Amino acid sequence: MTTSLERPGANGATVTSATVTSTNFPEGPAGYGFTTEVAARFTANPVPGGTGAGRVVRVDRNLVLVATRGATLHLPYPNGGELPATGDWVWLGANAAGEPAITGILPRHSELSRKRAFDASSEAQVLGANMDIVGVVVPVDRPLTHNRLERTLVAAWDSGATPLVIITKADLADIADDVVGKVILQAAGVEVVTTSAEQGDGLDELLGHLPPGGTLVLLGPSGAGKSTLINALVGTEVQGTGAVRASDGRGKHTTTSRELVPLPGGAVLMDTPGVRGFGLFDADGGMEEMFGDLEELVGQCRFSDCAHGSEPGCAVQAAIADGRLDDRRWASYLKLQRELAALARRHDAAARRAYAREWHQKISAGGKSQRSAERDRYEDAERQRAKRGAKGRGGAAGAGRKDR
């Protein structure tokens, strides 16, 4: 069978992107990013009973909204196995009753995850799948939170997608230049796009970062201007917008679920609710991308076990002293490292044992344990009492000899 993949053009016209010849080629939703590359992934990952291709548009409490080539379907969660996430590519077929069903989920080429909101959990919450660009939204009308930006960029790098900083509300020109300069310094190695949805500035540059049929996910706090930006990109009001409180700069959650929104030209946008906190789940690769220079600096210390305090030959402290390293950035790096190490210990019994051994070694190096110190104090007291007793007995014997 020969199949031509089609996607909507910028003016509603149909654009043929490629032609594929295959005996088991599934048809998929071109408006939601179905390309020849995605088709090849379906062909390479067949599942029993899979007859069509779909993409998860939204995950609701009881049903999954899936886009197919010609419609959108509300389908039940698949029985067993991995749960679908917004952006997943899924095989479609029928269940035992002959009803439409999800029969399989394709391996994800990218996945954005964070630790669940309650601190005691070490489970991952998948925010989205199969994104090409993670857009970290930074509004200019509120103070820049450096630690939040670094934390979000670490997670973006670790997702497997490419991070992109999107500055919004740039029409507030009196403060925009200052914010842009700070962001460029903070997000070293990450491209920055400045936009004004109200005036339409920067939108073409933003879309230029997306590959054909690519998916862009937007991350940012409530009130950052994501919904306004989406409406400007789509060309119509598909998202409600809310006012930002003047007291603290926070906005209302106008977006309440993660959902795919088709863009003119075949690209796809994934909107997410405002994210105030971003607990890292597992981000070793992202840490290397964001803080690779610090890890290289650590390797220059004189001692391999340098604690980066008062040790001689510490390259980190030398860099802080001469201004090459910002003390705040070093503190942020250490905080993220501690968070990832704590998460690893909750997952890995071996890591917990190694952590216990490390603290035992620190206690041993710094002095004896409390029990040992108490035992030593007790033995010292016993020796002192024995000495005093011996002196007393010696004095009494001497006095007896003098009397005789």
Side-chain angles (χ1 to χ4, degrees):
M1 179 179 70
T2 300
T3 304
S4 296
L5 290 184
E6 298 178 345
R7 58 180 176 84
N11 299 316
T14 300
V15 178
T16 302
S17 58
T19 301
V20 176
T21 302
S22 174
T23 56
N24 58 349
F25 179 72
E27 295 182 345
Y32 286 89
F34 190 77
T35 62
T36 54
E37 291 80 6
V38 175
R41 289 170 54 199
F42 272 95
T43 303
N45 295 274
V47 299
T51 58
R55 194 172 194 189
V56 176
V57 175
R58 188 179 69 241
V59 177
D60 296 323
R61 185 180 298 273
N62 299 315
L63 296 172
V64 181
L65 181 63
V66 179
T68 67
R69 188 176 189 276
T72 55
L73 306 173
H74 282 96
L75 301 177
Y77 279 78
N79 293 324
E82 188 176 20
L83 293 177
T86 301
D88 268 328
W89 290 104
V90 295
W91 274 104
L92 302 177
N95 58 20
E99 300 167 335
I102 297 172
T103 57
I105 301 175
L106 258 60
R108 298 163 180 163
H109 77 262
S110 64
E111 176 185 294
L112 183 66
S113 302
R114 70 168 179 174
K115 188 168 72 67
R116 289 192 178 275
F118 44 96
D119 292 339
S121 172
S122 60
E123 297 179 2
Q125 179 187 20
V126 180
L127 300 180
N130 300 311
M131 311 82 50
D132 299 284
I133 302 292
V134 176
V136 181
V137 179
V138 178
V140 302
D141 62 344
R142 67 184 68 181
L144 177 63
T145 307
H146 297 281
N147 290 351
R148 181 207 296 273
L149 177 59
E150 287 173 342
R151 178 183 293 266
T152 308
L153 286 173
V154 166
W157 276 119
D158 205 65
S159 70
T162 301
L164 175 70
V165 176
I166 304 171
I167 295 179
T168 57
K169 309 181 184 182
D171 48 291
L172 303 175
D174 53 333
I175 57 176
D177 291 343
D178 182 50
V179 173
V180 172
K182 290 179 179 178
V183 169
I184 290 175
L185 289 175
Q186 192 71 27
V190 178
E191 294 196 54
V192 179
V193 176
T194 303
T195 66
S196 170
E198 296 290 342
Q199 299 180 356
D201 295 336
L203 302 184
D204 289 339
E205 181 183 357
L206 172 56
L207 291 174
H209 286 272
L210 276 171
T215 299
L216 164 70
V217 61
L218 296 180
L219 290 179
S222 299
K226 299 190 303 298
S227 295
T228 303
L229 180 61
I230 290 173
N231 292 337
L233 291 171
V234 176
T236 183
E237 187 167 343
V238 295
Q239 294 286 345
T241 59
V244 177
R245 292 198 301 258
S247 58
D248 57 8
R250 289 182 175 178
K252 286 180 62 178
H253 286 285
T254 56
T255 303
T256 57
S257 63
R258 286 170 283 278
E259 183 170 356
L260 297 184
V261 180
L263 295 177
V268 185
L269 193 147
M270 184 187 300
D271 190 17
T272 62
V275 178
R276 289 199 179 101
F278 212 105
L280 297 182
F281 174 63
D282 182 9
D284 289 339
M287 288 290 287
E288 183 179 354
E289 291 287 353
M290 274 302 295
F291 295 102
D293 58 328
L294 299 193
E295 296 181 355
E296 182 178 347
L297 191 63
V298 166
Q300 297 173 9
C301 292
R302 180 183 301 177
F303 303 109
S304 59
D305 59 348
C306 182
H308 315 299
S310 58
E311 292 88 347
C314 176
V316 172
Q317 291 302 321
I320 292 175
D322 62 23
R324 288 180 292 123
L325 174 59
D326 180 29
D327 194 24
R328 185 215 57 78
R329 187 163 181 260
W330 173 246
S332 177
Y333 170 75
L334 292 179
K335 182 179 180 181
L336 293 175
Q337 286 283 27
R338 289 193 298 270
E339 182 177 332
L340 290 173
L343 185 64
R345 290 195 297 274
R346 287 199 289 270
H347 272 285
D348 188 353
R352 290 194 296 271
R353 290 193 296 269
Y355 181 71
R357 285 196 301 271
E358 178 185 352
W359 273 105
H360 177 73
Q361 291 166 359
K362 289 181 178 180
I363 292 172
S364 298
K368 297 178 181 178
S369 66
Q370 182 179 356
R371 187 186 306 171
S372 177
E374 290 176 354
R375 183 173 61 246
D376 287 349
R377 286 196 295 270
Y378 174 77
E379 291 175 352
D380 286 343
E382 287 296 308
R383 284 193 291 270
Q384 292 297 328
R385 282 195 292 270
K387 287 180 181 179
R388 288 195 296 269
K391 288 180 181 180
R393 289 192 298 274
R401 286 193 296 271
K402 289 177 182 180
D403 290 341
R404 290 195 295 269

